Amino acid sequence: MKLPAPAGIATLVAYVATIPAANLAVTHFGAVPVGFGYAAPAGVYMVGLALVLRDLARESAGRGAVLAAIAVGTILSYFLADPALAGASAAAFAVAETMDFVVYEPLRKRSLLIAMLASNAVGLLADSLLFLKLAFGSFEYLPGQILGKAWMTFAAIAVLALLRRRKPASASA
């Protein structure tokens, strides 16, 4: 088995690190504002970032490494979440990340940014619906969940688009 390059390992570590960060945020901060008068559980931003990092980890570390990271993330999500949220957190993570992966794979060769947008849209919706239903039995935070994750997706994709534009310009200089 070939190990990922250092950049791939760093991306995988960052991806997996979003899980405890999201769970700690929910436990310690509760609900936070996400804009337009909406609120969401505080882990929303880390979950949005996880969706983007999963896609980047796929590109830098490969499919097998990402599937292993999803498994590790699911286990971490269960054990690091507040006991009342553990099952909801693990289930939402496993389903959403797997759905993100399934949508991303066929689109990635066409356009990395389109694949990220499409897969993250599916992943953030799945995560939001499942987590809220299992954790709270309510969709009260659904608009805030979707908005908060979308902010992170758009911000990360904007940064990636800018980096991709600068790369050819700096290579020809």
Side-chain angles (χ1 to χ4, degrees):
M1 180 175 138
K2 184 180 171 194
L3 290 175
I9 292 170
T11 307
L12 285 167
V13 168
Y15 168 62
V16 172
T18 61
I19 295 121
N23 288 321
L24 287 169
V26 170
T27 301
H28 294 291
F29 301 111
V32 297
V34 294
F36 301 108
Y38 294 110
V44 69
Y45 295 117
M46 286 294 108
V47 174
L49 184 58
L51 293 167
V52 174
L53 287 171
R54 197 220 55 80
D55 296 340
L56 293 175
R58 164 56 178 103
E59 294 306 314
S60 61
R63 185 181 332 183
V66 166
L67 290 172
I70 290 171
V72 168
T74 300
I75 293 165
L76 278 175
S77 191
Y78 181 82
F79 286 110
L80 296 176
D82 179 280
L85 302 177
S89 179
F93 180 83
V95 170
E97 294 296 324
T98 302
M99 289 178 74
D100 182 296
F101 182 80
V102 168
V103 171
Y104 181 81
E105 279 299 304
L107 296 175
R108 63 184 277 277
K109 293 219 188 277
R110 289 186 188 167
S111 167
L112 181 64
L113 298 179
I114 296 297
M116 289 177 122
L117 281 171
S119 66
N120 288 3
V122 169
L124 73 84
L125 187 58
D127 183 81
S128 297
L129 289 169
L130 195 53
F131 179 75
L132 291 174
K133 182 64 175 170
L134 293 175
F136 304 113
S138 161
F139 295 117
E140 176 187 352
Y141 289 121
L142 185 60
Q145 283 275 94
I146 291 170
L147 186 59
K149 291 171 191 164
W151 287 133
M152 289 305 290
T153 294
F154 293 140
I157 289 174
V159 168
L160 290 172
L162 287 172
L163 291 173
R164 291 182 123 213
R165 274 198 178 148
R166 291 187 69 196
K167 196 178 229 180
S170 60
S172 63

